[in-house]
Amino acid sequence: MGIVARIGLILLGIFIALGYKAYEQLSVTPRLPNNIEFFEYWGPEGGDPYGGSLEIVPFNVSYPPEVIERLRKQLHDAPSLTAPLEEAAFQYGFNSERLKEIVQYWRTDYLDRWDERQAYLNRFTHFKTKIQGLDIHFIRDKLESVRNPKRIVPLLLLHGWPGSVREFYDIIPMLSNRTSDKEYVFDVIVPSLPGYGWSEGSSKPGLSTSKVAVIMKNLMARLGYRSFYIQGGDWGAIIGNLMAILFEKDILGVHLNMCMGSGSPLTMGKMILTSLAPSYFIEKQHIDFYHPTWPKIVELILEGGYLHLQATKPDTIGTALQNNPVGLAAYILEKFSTWTNPANRNLQDGGLEQHYSLDALLDNVMIYYLTDSITTSQRLYAESFSADELGKAYENIPTNVPAACAKFRHELFQYPDWILKEHFTNLMQSNHYNDGGHFAAMQLPEVLYKDIVQFVNRLYVR
């Protein structure tokens, strides 16, 4: 055997050995922390994590006229936009002709009715409370006329990016009111995630999704609930999943509209196997939710540029968007177009008003604008994709919390149930819907509501 061949065999052996070692390490199920730090401090320097007030104070969305007039002037004085390419719709991003129409509506009709919109944002009761050094904002909607505690079911609703608590405005009263399809009412708690909307952002690095999960658990404890249900999408789904892992004994059930399996090599292998012979693993009528695989990967690449940017340089893109209402609107509303249905990319108007009103969409943009929270919201990506957070791999730990997955046709990605059951070992419900996308609570609140109630009805004990 020649020297080159021998060197090749040696290198191959080293490669196989290293690969096997890496597989061994990746295949080990990570361990939960022995002691979860419930008092980790995220507030300004010099604060005392044990000295914060336990007080819960009412909060009102209120901005003086000069703030709104400043925004109106910014929209009026915005620089001219580059014309779209001939016959281009949303394939290159937000179509500038459509953006001009929305900006015109925002500057005139919407802002002329700001008192009405502000009153609508205040239609539910808002609060703030200090947790781990941060002012945490939340909405709470509960029927005070219900006296029997057994008929009150606590439900934590968690939003994601680029959404806000505004996503849940249509579904909140369905959940909190008496209805014939349930023997209980929900005590609905809807927080703004730290760094989003009216919730304060961290003053130091490290506030990742697993840390936010602790803050949300502390919020529910502050409200008197050790055990409760969770519903979430986007970051809300990830945080809800982590809460079901970290606090398994306390979570009554977790309902997600973006369910994800673990990131273990076994899961990845199952995904590859499923793509080779989907009919063996997935019911025929649901195969196209998951396959063919390659077009769905291409779609993720087309839509994933924001993720890499926000996971690496959130402050840079934040600088470009903060105090820039036109850019902010384009950046946020583009997601409500293509994440609702990728086919909207081929529509001149982006298909936005097929599913949402402009008032609802601009309410959400206003929350980011008025609170200057676009940069702090995007930092969650950098913290959650950091080497330290990924090294914990908590999401690879199975959870036995009762789980439900609502799968909407145009969600960014989906995991088949046989793979999800590796992680959600007590997956009780998995429903597929032929419509809907990433923002289900805002797009199809009635459908999502019925899915939540169907799940809780399975578990509710009078």
Side-chain angles (χ1 to χ4, degrees):
M1 182 182 291
I3 185 68
V4 174
R6 290 188 180 186
I7 292 174
L9 284 173
I10 291 171
L11 291 175
L12 177 61
I14 292 173
F15 176 77
I16 292 172
L18 290 174
Y20 180 74
K21 185 67 175 177
Y23 174 83
E24 273 191 323
Q25 292 176 343
L26 289 170
S27 298
V28 173
T29 300
R31 295 182 179 180
L32 287 172
N34 291 327
N35 295 300
I36 295 174
E37 178 54 75
F38 281 95
F39 299 101
E40 195 167 3
Y41 182 77
W42 300 105
E45 185 178 358
D48 180 2
Y50 299 96
S53 171
L54 302 180
E55 187 179 12
I56 298 171
V57 297
F59 171 78
N60 196 54
V61 178
S62 179
Y63 292 90
E66 53 266 29
V67 171
I68 303 307
E69 290 310 309
R70 176 175 174 270
L71 170 58
R72 195 192 302 271
K73 187 175 188 305
Q74 285 180 301
L75 294 172
H76 182 271
D77 297 341
S80 59
L81 300 172
T82 302
L85 294 171
E86 293 180 8
E87 301 181 3
F90 274 57
Q91 296 92 341
Y92 290 80
F94 208 102
N95 183 285
S96 58
E97 295 300 327
R98 178 61 177 140
L99 183 58
K100 289 177 186 177
E101 296 172 356
I102 291 175
V103 169
Q104 171 69 11
Y105 178 86
W106 190 5
R107 182 172 64 85
T108 55
D109 190 284
Y110 181 90
L111 289 185
D112 287 347
R113 295 180 293 108
W114 172 244
D115 287 347
E116 170 196 314
R117 299 317 305 163
Q118 187 165 250
Y120 183 81
L121 291 174
N122 283 312
R123 66 177 295 202
F124 303 114
T125 309
H126 296 245
F127 300 92
K128 280 191 175 184
T129 189
K130 185 80 72 176
I131 295 180
Q132 295 172 246
L134 300 179
D135 275 332
I136 298 299
H137 160 264
F138 64 96
I139 289 169
R140 187 175 190 182
D141 201 44
K142 174 185 176 183
L143 277 184
E144 296 300 330
S145 59
V146 178
R147 301 300 180 188
N148 185 348
K150 292 183 179 180
R151 292 188 179 272
I152 299 173
V153 175
L155 176 64
L156 177 68
L157 297 182
L158 297 172
H159 68 81
W161 185 94
S164 65
V165 295
R166 177 62 180 83
E167 291 181 68
F168 297 110
Y169 268 53
D170 289 334
I171 200 173
I172 288 172
M174 299 180 196
L175 294 163
S176 62
N177 287 325
R178 290 186 176 92
T179 52
S180 60
D181 57 352
K182 59 184 189 290
E183 298 180 15
Y184 49 85
V185 296
F186 289 101
D187 181 0
V188 186
I189 295 99
V190 193
S192 295
L193 299 180
Y196 287 71
W198 297 285
S199 282
E200 188 178 4
S202 175
S203 294
K204 66 177 186 176
L207 186 56
S208 60
T209 45
S210 65
K211 304 294 186 179
V212 174
V214 175
I215 292 175
M216 293 298 103
K217 184 67 165 65
N218 281 334
L219 170 63
M220 294 303 283
R222 180 73 51 87
L223 297 176
Y225 290 121
R226 174 178 175 177
S227 299
F228 49 91
Y229 289 88
I230 301 170
Q231 200 290 319
D234 194 81
W235 280 127
I238 293 171
I239 294 164
N241 178 34
L242 286 165
M243 294 178 76
I245 294 166
L246 297 173
F247 311 111
E248 185 176 84
K249 294 180 180 178
D250 294 334
I251 306 304
L252 299 173
V254 59
H255 181 286
L256 308 175
N257 54 290
M258 194 182 77
C259 284
M260 292 179 290
S262 74
S264 69
L266 179 60
T267 297
M268 295 302 103
K270 285 184 175 182
M271 291 289 282
I272 293 170
L273 182 61
T274 305
S275 68
L276 296 174
S279 60
Y280 283 95
F281 304 99
I282 304 169
E283 294 178 350
K284 183 178 179 180
Q285 69 269 30
H286 298 145
I287 287 177
D288 60 350
F289 274 73
Y290 313 94
H291 301 285
T293 303
W294 179 244
K296 295 186 183 300
I297 292 174
V298 169
E299 188 62 37
L300 283 174
I301 293 171
L302 282 173
E303 290 298 322
Y306 82 99
L307 190 151
H308 183 74
L309 185 59
Q310 293 174 191
T312 54
K313 307 291 182 182
D315 286 26
T316 301
I317 184 61
T319 300
L321 297 175
Q322 194 160 323
N323 202 32
N324 173 12
V326 176
L328 182 68
Y331 196 69
I332 288 176
L333 295 184
E334 178 213 299
K335 305 307 181 192
F336 280 85
S337 170
T338 53
W339 290 4
T340 296
N341 187 338
N344 288 342
R345 197 181 292 120
N346 301 316
L347 302 177
Q348 290 294 326
D349 64 357
L352 287 167
E353 290 183 89
Q354 290 183 11
H355 307 284
Y356 315 104
S357 71
L358 280 183
D359 282 354
L361 293 169
L362 289 172
D363 286 346
N364 184 65
V365 174
M366 284 291 284
I367 291 173
Y368 280 89
Y369 173 84
L370 293 170
T371 59
D372 286 331
S373 60
I374 188 63
T375 301
T376 52
S377 71
Q378 291 172 152
R379 285 176 181 162
L380 185 58
Y381 286 81
E383 304 297 6
S384 300
F385 286 96
S386 68
D388 180 60
E389 182 71 5
L390 292 176
K392 296 172 184 173
Y394 291 146
E395 72 279 0
N396 291 352
I397 302 173
T399 176
N400 195 46
V401 168
C405 296
K407 299 181 179 183
F408 293 89
R409 169 71 66 179
H410 303 297
E411 183 54 270
L412 297 177
F413 54 87
Q414 312 270 13
Y415 282 77
D417 288 349
W418 82 289
I419 294 176
L420 285 176
K421 288 176 181 178
E422 171 193 324
H423 176 68
F424 296 103
T425 59
N426 192 10
L427 182 63
M428 299 180 63
Q429 178 176 304
S430 178
N431 292 327
H432 294 72
Y433 296 100
N434 285 323
D435 194 8
H438 191 65
F439 304 100
M442 197 167 175
Q443 181 189 358
L444 299 171
E446 296 89 354
V447 176
L448 186 63
Y449 164 78
K450 290 178 181 177
D451 204 274
I452 295 168
V453 170
Q454 180 187 359
F455 173 56
V456 177
N457 281 347
R458 295 171 183 264
L459 299 167
Y460 175 68
V461 178
R462 185 182 302 179

